[in-house]
C-alpha cells in the first residue's frame, strides 16, 4: 500500500503542476493582475483558496462521489449565475485599477500586510466553476490510466476512476470515455495488451481495505492541488519580480485587459447557465 501512496503522490504532483501551466482561466487572471501590482501576499492567499476548491473537486471525482453529481446537477445553473456575478464584479474592480507611474508599490508579502478576502476570492473563483470538476476528473482519468499502464500500483484508483468517468458520462453525456480510446492507442505503442491487463488486475480495489480508497484519493487530490499551488506561486513570483521592467502604462493596459477578460468569463458563465436551464 505504501508504494501505491507514493506513486499517486508523485503522479498527482506532476499532473497538478503540468496541467495548470496552460491554464488561462479566471484564477490565472486574478493572480497575474495582482502580481503586476506587487501583491505577492494576495496572490499566495488567493492561490491557496483556489487550491482548496481544486482539492474538493478532485476528491469528489476520485473517491467515487460522482453519484452526487446527479443531485448537484440541478444547482449548476445557479452556481454559474453566482459565478457570473462574482467574476463581473471582480473584473470590474480590476479594470478600475490605475497604478501611479511615479510610485510603483513595493512587493507586499503575507508577513507585511493582511489581504482580507484573498483566500475567499481564490476559493470562490474556482468553486463557482462547475466545469472545473469535469476538467480535473478528465485529467485524473488520463493521468492515472497512464501511470497504471506503466505498471505502477495505483492502489485500485485506476479502476474506481474508470467507474466514476462512466458514471459522469451517463449523467452529462460528455463522453469522457472517448479519451480512453485515444489514450489506450498511445499506451499500446509502449506496452503490449497482456501486460497492461495484468497491471490493471493488480489494481483491483477489492484487494484493499475499505478505508484505503479514501486515503489514497485524499493523498492524490492533495498532491494534485499542491502541484497547482507550486505553479501559480512560481507564476506570481515571476510577474512580481519582473514587473518593474515593464512600462507602467503597459502594466495598466495589461491589468485593464485582464479585468475585461474576467468579465467576459463571467458573461460566458451566464450564457452557459441559460443554456443549462433549458436542459434541466
Amino acid at each position: 500500500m505504501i508504494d501505491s501512496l507514493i506513486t499517486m503522490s508523485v503522479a498527482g504532483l506532476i499532473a497538478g503542476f503540468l496541467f495548470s501551466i496552460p491554464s488561462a482561466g479566471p484564477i490565472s487572471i486574478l493572480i497575474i493582475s495582482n502580481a503586476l501590482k506587487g501583491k505577492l501576499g494576495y496572490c499566495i492567499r488567493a492561490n491557496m483558496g483556489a487550491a482548496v476548491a481544486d482539492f474538493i473537486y478532485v476528491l469528489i471525482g476520485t473517491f467515487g462521489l460522482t453519484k452526487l453529481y446527479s443531485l448537484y446537477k440541478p444547482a449548476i445553473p445557479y452556481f454559474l449565475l453566482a459565478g457570473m456575478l462574482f467574476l463581473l464584479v471582480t473584473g470590474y474592480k480590476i479594470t478600475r485599477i490605475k497604478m501611479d507611474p511615479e510610485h510603483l508599490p513595493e512587493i507586499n508579502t503575507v508577513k507585511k500586510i493582511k489581504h482580507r478576502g484573498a483566500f475567499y476570492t481564490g476559493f470562490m473563483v474556482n468553486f463557482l466553476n462547475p466545469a472545473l470538476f469535469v476538467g480535473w476528473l478528465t485529467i485524473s482519468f488520463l493521468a492515472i490510466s497512464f501511470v497504471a499502464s506503466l505498471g505502477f500500483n495505483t492502489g485500485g484508483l485506476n479502476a474506481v476512476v474508470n467507474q466514476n468517468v462512466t458514471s459522469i458520462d451517463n449523467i452529462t453525456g460528455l463522453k469522457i470515455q472517448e479519451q480512453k480510446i485515444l489514450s489506450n492507442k498511445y499506451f499500446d505503442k509502449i506496452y503490449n495488451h497482456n501486460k497492461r491487463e495484468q497491471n490493471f488486475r493488480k489494481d483491483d480495489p477489492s484487494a484493499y481495505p475499505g478505508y484505503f480508497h479514501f486515503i489514497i484519493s485524499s493523498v492524490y487530490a492533495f498532491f494534485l492541488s499542491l502541484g497547482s499551488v507550486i505553479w501559480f506561486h512560481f507564476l506570481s513570483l515571476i510577474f512580481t519580480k519582473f514587473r518593474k521592467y515593464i512600462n507602467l502604462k503597459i502594466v495598466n493596459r495589461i491589468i485593464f485587459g485582464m479585468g475585461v477578460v474576467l468579465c467576459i468569463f463571467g458573461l460566458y458563465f451566464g450564457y452557459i447557465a441559460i443554456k443549462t436551464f433549458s436542459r434541466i
Side-chain angles (χ1 to χ4, degrees), residues 91-106:
Y92 175 75
K93 288 182 178 179
I94 290 177
T95 61
R96 300 291 294 174
I97 295 171
K98 297 293 181 183
M99 296 177 64
D100 184 356
E102 297 181 359
H103 300 91
L104 188 66
E106 295 297 323

Side-chain angles (χ1 to χ4, degrees), residues 20-278:
S20 294
I21 293 176
S23 175
I27 190 63
S28 299
I29 294 173
L30 180 68
I31 287 177
I32 292 174
S33 60
N34 281 280
L36 287 172
K37 292 185 289 180
K39 293 185 177 182
L40 181 60
Y42 184 98
C43 295
I44 292 173
R45 290 177 180 268
N47 186 12
M48 296 302 295
V52 171
D54 288 339
F55 174 82
I56 293 173
Y57 279 135
V58 175
L59 180 60
I60 290 175
T62 56
F63 183 53
L65 297 177
T66 50
K67 291 182 179 179
L68 295 178
Y69 192 85
S70 58
L71 301 176
Y72 169 69
K73 189 178 179 181
I76 287 180
Y78 301 100
F79 269 81
L80 288 170
L81 288 176
M84 176 191 72
L85 295 175
F86 191 82
L87 291 180
L88 286 175
V89 171
T90 304
Y92 175 75
K93 288 182 178 179
I94 290 177
T95 61
R96 300 291 294 174
I97 295 171
K98 297 293 181 183
M99 296 177 64
D100 184 356
E102 297 181 359
H103 300 91
L104 188 66
E106 295 297 323
I107 296 176
N108 295 320
T109 64
V110 177
K111 293 181 179 180
K112 291 182 179 179
I113 186 171
K114 293 183 178 180
H115 299 283
R116 295 181 179 179
F119 181 92
Y120 170 79
T121 302
F123 175 81
M124 295 302 289
V125 164
N126 268 4
F127 187 72
L128 292 176
N129 181 8
L132 194 64
F133 166 73
V134 177
W136 279 126
L137 177 60
T138 305
I139 290 170
S140 297
F141 171 72
L142 295 175
I144 295 173
S145 295
F146 179 71
V147 169
S149 74
L150 296 179
F152 291 102
N153 184 2
T154 67
L157 205 55
N158 178 66
V160 174
V161 170
N162 271 297
Q163 296 171 4
N164 295 344
V165 166
T166 301
S167 175
I168 291 299
D169 280 350
N170 294 334
I171 296 172
T172 64
L174 292 174
K175 303 302 179 185
I176 300 174
Q177 278 284 3
E178 291 180 359
Q179 298 293 332
K180 183 177 182 179
I181 299 175
L182 297 176
S183 60
N184 280 346
K185 287 181 179 179
Y186 176 72
F187 298 156
D188 283 337
K189 295 179 182 179
I190 306 176
Y191 290 96
N192 62 67
H193 178 78
N194 292 332
K195 183 174 182 180
R196 192 176 68 252
E197 286 296 318
Q198 181 181 2
N199 292 330
F200 284 178
R201 285 196 296 271
K202 184 175 66 175
D203 283 343
D204 184 2
S206 63
Y208 300 89
Y211 63 85
F212 182 72
H213 179 54
F214 175 76
I215 293 176
I216 197 168
S217 296
S218 300
V219 167
Y220 171 77
F222 173 79
F223 277 93
L224 186 144
S225 302
L226 180 60
S228 180
V229 166
I230 292 173
W231 163 250
F232 283 115
H233 183 69
F234 173 74
L235 195 67
S236 301
L237 290 174
I238 291 296
F239 276 93
T240 51
K241 182 176 181 180
F242 293 101
R243 69 197 177 93
K244 289 187 177 182
Y245 299 99
I246 306 176
N247 185 289
L248 280 188
K249 291 183 178 179
I250 297 177
V251 170
N252 281 327
R253 290 175 183 174
I254 292 175
I255 293 176
F256 178 83
M258 287 185 168
V260 172
V261 173
L262 208 58
C263 289
I264 292 174
F265 269 110
L267 294 175
Y268 177 73
F269 276 25
Y271 169 73
I272 297 299
I274 294 173
K275 289 185 63 176
T276 306
F277 270 120
S278 63

